[in-house]
Amino acid sequence: MIALTGAGMSAESGVPTFRGLDGLWRNYNPQELATPEAFAANPTLVWEWYDWRRGLIAQAQPNAGHFALAQLEEKGPFVTVVTQNVDGLHQRGGSSHVIELHGSIWKLRCMGCQRLHSDLRAHLRTLPPLCEECGQMLRPGVVWFGENLPPMAWEASVEAVSSTDVLLVIGTSGQVYPAAQLVPIAKEAGAKVILVNLEEIELGGAADIVIQGASGEILPKLVQ
Ligand code: OAD
């Protein structure tokens, strides 16, 4: 079983979503904060935004939805979580097979030597942070608009959804590609698609079952 998750999964943990009424993209322009061009133009501004989000996420706890997916593993089926979230809450909630399609806010990558650094502190000491190895600037270890997904994460996700019986699509607006493409890929390979979302969303008519409600309420019941 595969769970494809988005920002709605972490909403009940207090992590803001991107679209919708309270979404981050209502008040912030993604072109100014989440593109390689934005980072090149103003790295400190971009880092301030990511550092603010690190602070929010550091205070957040996994919610009942995260725990339910982790519990599902114990019940028998092999569960792979393919997430667009960068917050690490699935892992903290106990899920053991998590593919981070959009990277992680707790990782930083050196623009010079390309080394990947892990830093779990809520706030970084200096903005922008610098690589301890080579002194070059570090960037957030996330995927920005206009960038490719990490190839191994994408290939593993395609492989997983191509051979699953069930794809649970939880808390994502399905508007961002290529992540959203995983739904038709799963569908064409014969998976049943179950949609869990607070709102009534379409997803190209791919859903076999639609459950409208908050993931923190629905998932524990589904697992039960
Ligand atoms: P969105 O903000 O686009 O969508 C969040 C979805 O979650 C919406 O469909 C909401 O209806 C739903 N939702 C909100 N609260 C919920 C709850 N408690 N239970 C269930 N559903 C709930 O977030 P994503 O689809 O994850 O990428 O966005 C995809 C990507 O766009 C993100 O990874 C990010 C963003 O720009 C980058 O920054 C590259």
Side-chain angles (χ1 to χ4, degrees), residues 37-61:
E37 293 78 16
F39 189 67
N42 197 341
T44 305
L45 177 77
V46 170
W47 262 119
E48 281 169 357
W49 191 66
Y50 278 93
D51 201 56
W52 168 71
R53 288 178 58 203
R54 284 169 70 101
L56 279 183
I57 293 168
Q59 284 176 11
Q61 299 302 324

Side-chain angles (χ1 to χ4, degrees), residues 6-7 12 18-19 25 84 102 143 145 171-173 176 197-198 215:
E12 287 153 89
F18 295 94
R19 297 168 186 83
W25 298 148
Q84 297 164 86
H102 291 169
V143 176
F145 289 105
T172 177
S173 59
V176 173
N197 200 296
L198 198 56
S215 50

Side-chain angles (χ1 to χ4, degrees), residues 10-204:
S10 298
E12 287 153 89
S13 297
V15 181
T17 62
F18 295 94
R19 297 168 186 83
L21 283 181
D22 300 324
L24 288 170
W25 298 148
R26 284 255 162 170
N27 298 312
Y28 297 94
N29 180 352
Q31 296 307 321
E32 287 169 10
L33 295 168
T35 63
E37 293 78 16
F39 189 67
N42 197 341
T44 305
L45 177 77
V46 170
W47 262 119
E48 281 169 357
W49 191 66
Y50 278 93
D51 201 56
W52 168 71
R53 288 178 58 203
R54 284 169 70 101
L56 279 183
I57 293 168
Q59 284 176 11
Q61 299 302 324
N63 66 54
H66 296 106
F67 291 129
L69 285 183
Q71 260 176 26
L72 195 56
E73 282 181 24
E74 291 161 19
K75 295 218 168 202
F78 189 88
V79 182
T80 301
V81 177
V82 178
T83 189
Q84 297 164 86
N85 299 343
V86 297
D87 54 32
L89 287 177
H90 280 298
Q91 293 91 327
R92 283 174 56 200
S95 286
S96 33
H97 313 285
V98 182
I99 299 176
E100 294 180 313
L101 271 185
H102 291 169
S104 166
I105 202 158
W106 305 115
K107 298 212 171 104
L108 299 85
R109 190 150 49 77
C110 179
M111 305 283 288
C113 68
Q114 301 298 319
R115 245 190 213 92
L116 206 57
H117 300 250
S118 273
D119 192 328
L120 298 176
R121 283 173 298 191
H123 294 290
L124 297 164
R125 232 176 270 144
T126 55
L127 298 181
L130 302 177
C131 179
E132 283 168 13
E133 312 288 334
C134 75
Q136 297 279 311
M137 199 187 294
L138 299 172
R139 58 159 283 175
V142 302
V143 176
W144 282 324
F145 289 105
E147 292 187 313
N148 291 328
L149 301 187
M152 273 166 58
W154 175 247
E155 280 155 28
S157 302
V158 170
E159 201 178 311
V161 300
S162 302
S163 58
T164 188
D165 293 337
V166 176
L167 177 70
L168 269 169
V169 183
I170 307 160
T172 177
S173 59
Q175 290 186 30
V176 173
Y177 285 80
Q181 192 64 32
L182 292 170
V183 179
I185 293 174
K187 185 86 185 162
E188 272 161 39
K192 286 262 179 284
V193 176
I194 304 176
L195 200 62
V196 178
N197 200 296
L198 198 56
E199 289 166 20
E200 212 179 323
I201 61 161
E202 257 294 315
L203 243 117

